Amino acid sequence: LHAREPINPLAFIQRLSGTAENVYLFCFQPGPVRAFLGASPERLFKRIGNRIDSEALAGTCPRGAGTEEDLAFENALRTNEKDNREHQIVLKDVIETLSGFCSEIHADTAPHVLKLAHCQHLRTPITGILHRDISDNTLLDALHPTPAVGGKPKAEALRWILDKEPFERGIYASPVGWVGSDKAEFCVGIRSGLIRNRTLNLYTGAGIVPGSDPREEWLELNTKLAQFMDIISKDHENGNA
């Protein structure tokens, strides 16, 4: 998208914060006319001492116009075979990865539904107790990319993405977060945008598995970008875009 004037990243993220819920808001601005920002619902991991919290977040449906429709979408998501299969791929991979670093690991027996402003996701929290001397770098290298953004099996999927995907991801879908002396937390940099002066590139994605319908996946992408497009549409109506 192209604006008439240079885009102010902090003003954009502030407007995003007014509509986003249950997400990680982030904005990195290495220069006055360049920034990477987003509103990600997906935690990669949170560590406090030797406790680690992660999650599987996969399977999507829209929000309803009212309570009844919203619940109908939620119930359909909970029982949808394709979405649950997609969710299990991510869940099993994260558990298998963390099992190599943990003395204990626990996951809910069934996903619950995470409700965002414009869509709903299947989410399963995962917790573990880390072995001693497991560094955050080690966790980042092992967990990123999850199947939700990198595919499964990882090596073959990443080769396919590098060969077929017609654009450079840059830092889209990369870990975004912070590290402290005894704590760390990272989200996955999805639902994001790159600002370069007057240009805004928006990024989102969908999990493609056997049974995926191209039209439905395209509609899912539009739903995921709605939090950005709502802001842009309002600015355009006000003559600011």
Side-chain angles (χ1 to χ4, degrees):
L1 302 102
H2 301 276
R4 296 190 184 96
E5 304 291 337
I7 302 167
N8 184 324
L10 295 181
F12 195 96
I13 201 73
Q14 186 176 31
R15 295 189 186 189
L16 196 59
S17 70
T19 61
E21 54 182 294
N22 295 323
V23 297
Y24 290 89
L25 289 168
F26 57 88
C27 180
F28 296 93
Q29 189 174 359
V33 296
R34 185 179 179 89
F36 179 67
L37 51 80
S40 172
E42 185 175 355
R43 170 183 285 172
L44 186 63
F45 75 87
K46 178 180 181 180
R47 181 186 62 80
I48 301 178
N50 68 338
R51 176 191 167 100
I52 186 169
D53 292 278
S54 187
E55 66 183 23
L57 190 79
T60 306
C61 73
R63 296 297 303 268
T67 302
E68 186 175 344
E69 185 182 40
D70 197 61
L71 183 59
F73 279 135
E74 176 185 334
N75 290 334
L77 176 63
R78 289 181 184 274
T79 58
N80 183 277
E81 189 274 336
K82 192 275 294 185
D83 283 306
N84 277 275
R85 183 155 38 85
E86 179 184 337
H87 185 83
Q88 286 299 316
I89 292 171
V90 179
L91 177 63
K92 290 178 181 179
D93 185 82
V94 175
I95 290 175
E96 288 174 4
T97 300
L98 287 179
S99 293
F101 304 112
C102 292
S103 58
E104 300 176 25
I105 191 163
H106 305 279
D108 290 357
T109 56
H112 66 80
V113 174
L114 175 69
K115 292 182 180 288
L116 305 179
H118 297 92
C119 59
Q120 309 180 60
H121 297 295
L122 292 176
R123 177 180 182 267
T124 300
I126 304 164
T127 62
I129 303 300
L130 292 164
H131 297 307
R132 294 184 60 183
D133 301 324
I134 301 296
S135 71
D136 295 312
N137 279 343
T138 298
L139 294 171
L140 285 170
D141 287 341
L143 287 169
H144 173 73
T146 69
V149 296
K152 180 78 174 180
K154 183 183 290 188
E156 291 86 344
L158 290 177
R159 281 198 296 270
W160 190 94
I161 288 170
L162 287 171
D163 182 51
K164 303 294 185 182
E165 209 166 60
F167 65 95
E168 290 292 333
R169 289 192 181 188
I171 53 178
Y172 163 65
S174 64
V176 175
W178 56 269
V179 175
S181 60
D182 198 36
K183 301 177 182 178
E185 186 165 13
F186 287 86
C187 70
V188 181
I190 54 175
R191 319 283 163 85
S192 51
L194 177 65
I195 292 174
R196 290 178 290 189
N197 200 4
R198 295 185 295 113
T199 301
L200 171 63
N201 288 353
L202 296 176
Y203 302 91
T204 193
I208 308 302
V209 297
S212 292
D213 178 84
R215 181 178 180 278
E216 293 298 321
E217 299 293 345
W218 191 261
L219 292 174
E220 179 180 315
L221 295 178
N222 290 336
T223 299
K224 290 174 177 178
L225 284 179
Q227 58 189 352
F228 288 95
M229 298 308 297
D230 281 357
I231 295 171
I232 294 165
S233 296
K234 289 175 183 176
D235 276 355
H236 183 72
E237 289 171 4
N238 295 330
N240 298 323

